[in-house]
Amino acid sequence: MTSSAHHRPILDKPFVLDLFAGPGGLDVAGHALDIPSLGIEWDRSACLTRYAAGLETLHGDVSAVRRNSFETLPPDVNVLAGGPPCQTYSVAGHGAGRQALDRVKKYIERLMAGESDQEIDEDLKTLPDPRTALVLEPLRYAIQATRSPNREHRPYDVIVLEQVREVEALWKHYAKVLEETGLPDGTRYKVVVDVLDTETYGVPQTRSRAVLIARREGLGEPSLPSPTHRSYEAKEWNRRNGKKAAGQVHQATLYDDTEPAAEEHRATGDQGLQPWRSMGDALANRVGSHPGRRTPFLVRSNYGSSSNPGRRGVRSDQQPAFTVTGKISRFVVFQHLDESVLYEGARFSMNEAGMLQSFPPDYPWSSTAQAQQVGNAVPPLFGTHLLSAALGLPRPDPEALRKPWQPATEEQRAKLRSDGCGAADACTDSCPRPEDQVPPPSSVRPRKSKDKKASAK
């Protein structure tokens, strides 16, 4: 189900609580739609980027905030949003989350039955990777809202969630219990779930995301955002451009372009849809401090293709980017010295990597692990479509995200950090420590033996 041309806002004053907020993808989307938000983020570097960008932030662990300080959250928050960490579910990870899907579904049912948090927390300790349990937090926040005296026990009106496509099965289970069982207090929601491709919403990148949009009963039927751009189809591109690309690729010791699952969940019926947006289109023009990339280029990804880790995919500036991950800074960019010779040019700057994610130019990426911040973020343009559909707003204007971002002043940044960390220029004892959320040893992060065999081929 996709949204129709008719729009009627369902909330007078939407206010978003963004769980696992990262460097600000959904918050930037809210900014473009003039919707206030508060993000909860445990990573110090991402918080510093958020402060520099002028985004309201609480530097905290999402689980700890729910347990210990939920009553301090603004009571007028009526939209719950977030993208829980995906490492244990992603095909690029070790798969602990995918292997625990059935167990996680049972935890969902236990939460909806009103079982105590203490009992569930104790059982969750047995999961091989504790990050797997974080996908339950949005549901736990929805339940906690109905138990909060500070909120007068009011449930959230809207819930918007996104994750890697492998989480679609869990979102469908979320939908089932939200519609049929309801929260322990009896609140029920109308829910839609699907996997959407970000390039069909104007993001210059192929990235498939499992999406859930829920509205509290009485607020109308929810719908998914209608696509604005055509789907990128690798086989069709290769059929039309294969011979030319093959000659260029050979010179750079590259391979053909194929990205796993890139062609599934295509938008149907492309009448009136714009062509997908290419890397060249996104990066060609000078804007803000970005000098522009007008020279044609090829990009070799840093991760495997067609389930083969040793086969590096390649795309040209006339195609959308591969899924932007924390390895974006390692993507090799080849430019043409003349019509027949390629040479290795400058790799993507963080500003350019952010633009491929649809962040505005000059977004103030800060502190360390900036490439990881970029890769972990929700593409803001995609976020504007999700929030608009969830709240019954008109289709967003992509131009709002193509203007240089105005960073916070030093005074504003200090105030934001004081509110978020407890001090204007430092973290405090209330801030989470990075060592408290490190991944478990690789010995307990299972990887199927057949995956190892595939890697060796």
Side-chain angles (χ1 to χ4, degrees), residues 263-276:
E263 295 186 276
E264 297 180 23
H265 297 276
R266 300 174 187 168
T268 57
D270 62 0
Q271 287 186 345
L273 297 180
Q274 302 176 55
W276 35 258

PDB file of all heavy atoms in Angstrom, residues 263-276:
ATOM      1  N   GLU A 263      17.973  -6.190  -7.318  1.00  0.00           N
ATOM      2  CA  GLU A 263      16.869  -6.108  -8.246  1.00  0.00           C
ATOM      3  C   GLU A 263      15.534  -6.567  -7.656  1.00  0.00           C
ATOM      4  O   GLU A 263      14.523  -6.546  -8.320  1.00  0.00           O
ATOM      5  CB  GLU A 263      17.178  -6.946  -9.487  1.00  0.00           C
ATOM      6  CG  GLU A 263      18.341  -6.402 -10.272  1.00  0.00           C
ATOM      7  CD  GLU A 263      18.514  -7.155 -11.557  1.00  0.00           C
ATOM      8  OE1 GLU A 263      19.160  -8.209 -11.546  1.00  0.00           O
ATOM      9  OE2 GLU A 263      17.991  -6.694 -12.584  1.00  0.00           O
ATOM     10  N   GLU A 264      15.532  -6.993  -6.406  1.00  0.00           N
ATOM     11  CA  GLU A 264      14.285  -7.402  -5.804  1.00  0.00           C
ATOM     12  C   GLU A 264      13.537  -6.178  -5.289  1.00  0.00           C
ATOM     13  O   GLU A 264      14.083  -5.115  -5.069  1.00  0.00           O
ATOM     14  CB  GLU A 264      14.559  -8.377  -4.661  1.00  0.00           C
ATOM     15  CG  GLU A 264      15.217  -9.664  -5.150  1.00  0.00           C
ATOM     16  CD  GLU A 264      15.473 -10.625  -4.012  1.00  0.00           C
ATOM     17  OE1 GLU A 264      14.796 -10.508  -2.985  1.00  0.00           O
ATOM     18  OE2 GLU A 264      16.349 -11.475  -4.163  1.00  0.00           O
ATOM     19  N   HIS A 265      12.237  -6.350  -5.054  1.00  0.00           N
ATOM     20  CA  HIS A 265      11.381  -5.284  -4.540  1.00  0.00           C
ATOM     21  C   HIS A 265      11.434  -4.048  -5.443  1.00  0.00           C
ATOM     22  O   HIS A 265      11.567  -2.923  -4.985  1.00  0.00           O
ATOM     23  CB  HIS A 265      11.789  -4.918  -3.107  1.00  0.00           C
ATOM     24  CG  HIS A 265      11.624  -6.045  -2.150  1.00  0.00           C
ATOM     25  ND1 HIS A 265      10.443  -6.348  -1.544  1.00  0.00           N
ATOM     26  CD2 HIS A 265      12.508  -6.974  -1.712  1.00  0.00           C
ATOM     27  CE1 HIS A 265      10.594  -7.401  -0.757  1.00  0.00           C
ATOM     28  NE2 HIS A 265      11.837  -7.798  -0.852  1.00  0.00           N
ATOM     29  N   ARG A 266      11.336  -4.243  -6.740  1.00  0.00           N
ATOM     30  CA  ARG A 266      11.366  -3.113  -7.661  1.00  0.00           C
ATOM     31  C   ARG A 266      10.048  -2.350  -7.602  1.00  0.00           C
ATOM     32  O   ARG A 266       9.004  -2.907  -7.316  1.00  0.00           O
ATOM     33  CB  ARG A 266      11.565  -3.600  -9.104  1.00  0.00           C
ATOM     34  CG  ARG A 266      12.844  -4.370  -9.328  1.00  0.00           C
ATOM     35  CD  ARG A 266      12.863  -4.921 -10.744  1.00  0.00           C
ATOM     36  NE  ARG A 266      14.004  -5.799 -10.947  1.00  0.00           N
ATOM     37  CZ  ARG A 266      14.123  -6.575 -12.007  1.00  0.00           C
ATOM     38  NH1 ARG A 266      13.175  -6.612 -12.918  1.00  0.00           N
ATOM     39  NH2 ARG A 266      15.186  -7.344 -12.138  1.00  0.00           N
ATOM     40  N   ALA A 267      10.128  -1.064  -7.878  1.00  0.00           N
ATOM     41  CA  ALA A 267       8.904  -0.297  -8.011  1.00  0.00           C
ATOM     42  C   ALA A 267       8.210  -0.709  -9.302  1.00  0.00           C
ATOM     43  O   ALA A 267       8.839  -0.812 -10.352  1.00  0.00           O
ATOM     44  CB  ALA A 267       9.237   1.197  -8.050  1.00  0.00           C
ATOM     45  N   THR A 268       6.933  -0.962  -9.213  1.00  0.00           N
ATOM     46  CA  THR A 268       6.194  -1.384 -10.389  1.00  0.00           C
ATOM     47  C   THR A 268       5.503  -0.195 -11.026  1.00  0.00           C
ATOM     48  O   THR A 268       5.032   0.703 -10.332  1.00  0.00           O
ATOM     49  CB  THR A 268       5.143  -2.447 -10.007  1.00  0.00           C
ATOM     50  OG1 THR A 268       4.277  -1.898  -9.006  1.00  0.00           O
ATOM     51  CG2 THR A 268       5.823  -3.689  -9.455  1.00  0.00           C
ATOM     52  N   GLY A 269       5.428  -0.215 -12.335  1.00  0.00           N
ATOM     53  CA  GLY A 269       4.755   0.869 -13.048  1.00  0.00           C
ATOM     54  C   GLY A 269       5.524   2.160 -12.931  1.00  0.00           C
ATOM     55  O   GLY A 269       5.329   2.921 -11.998  1.00  0.00           O
ATOM     56  N   ASP A 270       6.429   2.431 -13.874  1.00  0.00           N
ATOM     57  CA  ASP A 270       7.309   3.583 -13.728  1.00  0.00           C
ATOM     58  C   ASP A 270       6.800   4.817 -14.461  1.00  0.00           C
ATOM     59  O   ASP A 270       7.554   5.755 -14.697  1.00  0.00           O
ATOM     60  CB  ASP A 270       8.719   3.228 -14.205  1.00  0.00           C
ATOM     61  CG  ASP A 270       8.769   2.838 -15.684  1.00  0.00           C
ATOM     62  OD1 ASP A 270       7.709   2.852 -16.326  1.00  0.00           O
ATOM     63  OD2 ASP A 270       9.863   2.528 -16.171  1.00  0.00           O
ATOM     64  N   GLN A 271       5.542   4.826 -14.826  1.00  0.00           N
ATOM     65  CA  GLN A 271       5.000   6.007 -15.502  1.00  0.00           C
ATOM     66  C   GLN A 271       5.064   7.208 -14.562  1.00  0.00           C
ATOM     67  O   GLN A 271       4.615   7.155 -13.419  1.00  0.00           O
ATOM     68  CB  GLN A 271       3.552   5.767 -15.925  1.00  0.00           C
ATOM     69  CG  GLN A 271       3.415   4.813 -17.104  1.00  0.00           C
ATOM     70  CD  GLN A 271       1.986   4.713 -17.587  1.00  0.00           C
ATOM     71  OE1 GLN A 271       1.068   5.121 -16.896  1.00  0.00           O
ATOM     72  NE2 GLN A 271       1.801   4.193 -18.782  1.00  0.00           N
ATOM     73  N   GLY A 272       5.613   8.296 -15.059  1.00  0.00           N
ATOM     74  CA  GLY A 272       5.700   9.515 -14.269  1.00  0.00           C
ATOM     75  C   GLY A 272       6.850   9.540 -13.277  1.00  0.00           C
ATOM     76  O   GLY A 272       7.051  10.542 -12.601  1.00  0.00           O
ATOM     77  N   LEU A 273       7.623   8.445 -13.184  1.00  0.00           N
ATOM     78  CA  LEU A 273       8.748   8.411 -12.263  1.00  0.00           C
ATOM     79  C   LEU A 273       9.997   8.985 -12.921  1.00  0.00           C
ATOM     80  O   LEU A 273      10.228   8.803 -14.113  1.00  0.00           O
ATOM     81  CB  LEU A 273       9.024   6.976 -11.805  1.00  0.00           C
ATOM     82  CG  LEU A 273       7.917   6.272 -11.025  1.00  0.00           C
ATOM     83  CD1 LEU A 273       8.351   4.861 -10.648  1.00  0.00           C
ATOM     84  CD2 LEU A 273       7.537   7.060  -9.784  1.00  0.00           C
ATOM     85  N   GLN A 274      10.795   9.656 -12.138  1.00  0.00           N
ATOM     86  CA  GLN A 274      12.055  10.197 -12.639  1.00  0.00           C
ATOM     87  C   GLN A 274      13.098   9.086 -12.717  1.00  0.00           C
ATOM     88  O   GLN A 274      13.001   8.079 -12.021  1.00  0.00           O
ATOM     89  CB  GLN A 274      12.557  11.288 -11.693  1.00  0.00           C
ATOM     90  CG  GLN A 274      11.600  12.439 -11.474  1.00  0.00           C
ATOM     91  CD  GLN A 274      12.129  13.415 -10.452  1.00  0.00           C
ATOM     92  OE1 GLN A 274      13.241  13.920 -10.581  1.00  0.00           O
ATOM     93  NE2 GLN A 274      11.349  13.667  -9.419  1.00  0.00           N
ATOM     94  N   PRO A 275      14.122   9.255 -13.551  1.00  0.00           N
ATOM     95  CA  PRO A 275      15.221   8.276 -13.563  1.00  0.00           C
ATOM     96  C   PRO A 275      15.919   8.278 -12.204  1.00  0.00           C
ATOM     97  O   PRO A 275      15.948   9.297 -11.524  1.00  0.00           O
ATOM     98  CB  PRO A 275      16.160   8.805 -14.655  1.00  0.00           C
ATOM     99  CG  PRO A 275      15.331   9.738 -15.464  1.00  0.00           C
ATOM    100  CD  PRO A 275      14.323  10.329 -14.538  1.00  0.00           C
ATOM    101  N   TRP A 276      16.470   7.112 -11.817  1.00  0.00           N
ATOM    102  CA  TRP A 276      17.214   7.099 -10.567  1.00  0.00           C
ATOM    103  C   TRP A 276      18.361   8.103 -10.649  1.00  0.00           C
ATOM    104  O   TRP A 276      18.871   8.414 -11.715  1.00  0.00           O
ATOM    105  CB  TRP A 276      17.742   5.706 -10.221  1.00  0.00           C
ATOM    106  CG  TRP A 276      18.181   4.844 -11.374  1.00  0.00           C
ATOM    107  CD1 TRP A 276      17.485   3.822 -11.920  1.00  0.00           C
ATOM    108  CD2 TRP A 276      19.408   4.926 -12.120  1.00  0.00           C
ATOM    109  NE1 TRP A 276      18.192   3.257 -12.962  1.00  0.00           N
ATOM    110  CE2 TRP A 276      19.380   3.912 -13.096  1.00  0.00           C
ATOM    111  CE3 TRP A 276      20.532   5.746 -12.056  1.00  0.00           C
ATOM    112  CZ2 TRP A 276      20.414   3.697 -13.998  1.00  0.00           C
ATOM    113  CZ3 TRP A 276      21.569   5.536 -12.952  1.00  0.00           C
ATOM    114  CH2 TRP A 276      21.502   4.533 -13.905  1.00  0.00           C
TER     115      TRP A 276
END
